[in-house]
Amino acid sequence: MYEKTALILACVNHGVPIVTCGGAAGRSDPTKIVTGDLTEVQEDRLLFKCRKELRQAHGFPKVPVPKKGPKPKVKKWRIPAVYSTEVQQLVRDSDSDEGTSSFRRCDGALGTACFVTGTYGFVAASKVVEMISTNNMVKPKKQRTKKQ
């Protein structure tokens, strides 16, 4: 997670376009893989932790938590992300009495399926080709936060 955050931060600091991918472990439905700005990612613990680290240690603005009613407008970080909207499967430990634990391991309950990781790669490649072919190389920007 720290390496992914460092790579994202280096690209932001040097104005290098980047497309980042979330975690594929515990997922089995490649049709749930989507792209969006890093600020819009849901259901992805890896990208959540990267986003948190970018906010807390590197001054990126906090993204408001969605509430009922109209959503507040948030400036995007201009960091395209590939992620799955599928809820990651919980780890089931049959040797333990605590079968309802929500603890997630790196490999997830289902491991990492090649058809899911492959789809992540194809979607990321598609985003890069789109950026090149439309001459729209999105350079990430760290938005300034308002001083209180």
Side-chain angles (χ1 to χ4, degrees):
M1 184 266 310
Y2 295 108
E3 293 81 4
K4 181 178 276 293
T5 304
L7 181 61
I8 293 169
L9 186 62
C11 289
V12 170
N13 289 339
H14 295 288
V16 175
I18 185 173
V19 175
T20 190
C21 292
R27 308 213 196 297
S28 60
D29 187 354
T31 65
K32 302 276 185 171
I33 296 171
V34 297
T35 61
D37 192 76
L38 187 57
T39 59
E40 302 169 335
V41 174
Q42 298 176 2
E43 299 299 338
D44 193 297
R45 300 303 301 164
L46 175 62
L47 293 179
F48 167 80
K49 288 180 181 181
C50 288
R51 194 170 58 208
K52 183 177 180 179
E53 177 72 15
L54 288 168
R55 280 193 330 266
Q56 291 180 346
H58 303 288
F60 280 70
K62 185 170 176 131
V63 177
V65 176
K67 298 178 183 175
K68 291 183 180 179
K71 291 184 180 181
K73 295 210 176 200
V74 177
K75 275 214 165 195
K76 295 180 180 181
W77 293 355
R78 296 172 47 104
I79 302 171
V82 178
Y83 63 99
S84 177
T85 58
E86 178 183 6
V87 177
Q88 187 180 32
Q89 300 297 313
L90 298 178
V91 173
R92 304 237 193 288
D93 189 0
S94 58
D95 297 336
S96 171
D97 292 335
E98 299 176 22
T100 60
S101 171
S102 64
F103 177 71
R104 295 177 182 166
R105 286 183 257 187
C106 177
D107 61 353
L110 302 174
T112 305
C114 65
F115 55 87
V116 175
T117 57
T119 304
Y120 269 81
F122 285 127
V123 172
S126 167
K127 188 67 178 171
V128 170
V129 169
E130 174 190 319
M131 290 166 63
I132 293 169
S133 66
T134 61
N135 201 23
N136 185 20
M137 300 300 285
V138 179
K139 293 182 181 175
K141 285 186 183 177
K142 181 164 89 171
Q143 304 296 331
R144 298 190 187 274
T145 56
K146 293 180 182 178
K147 293 191 178 185
Q148 309 254 344

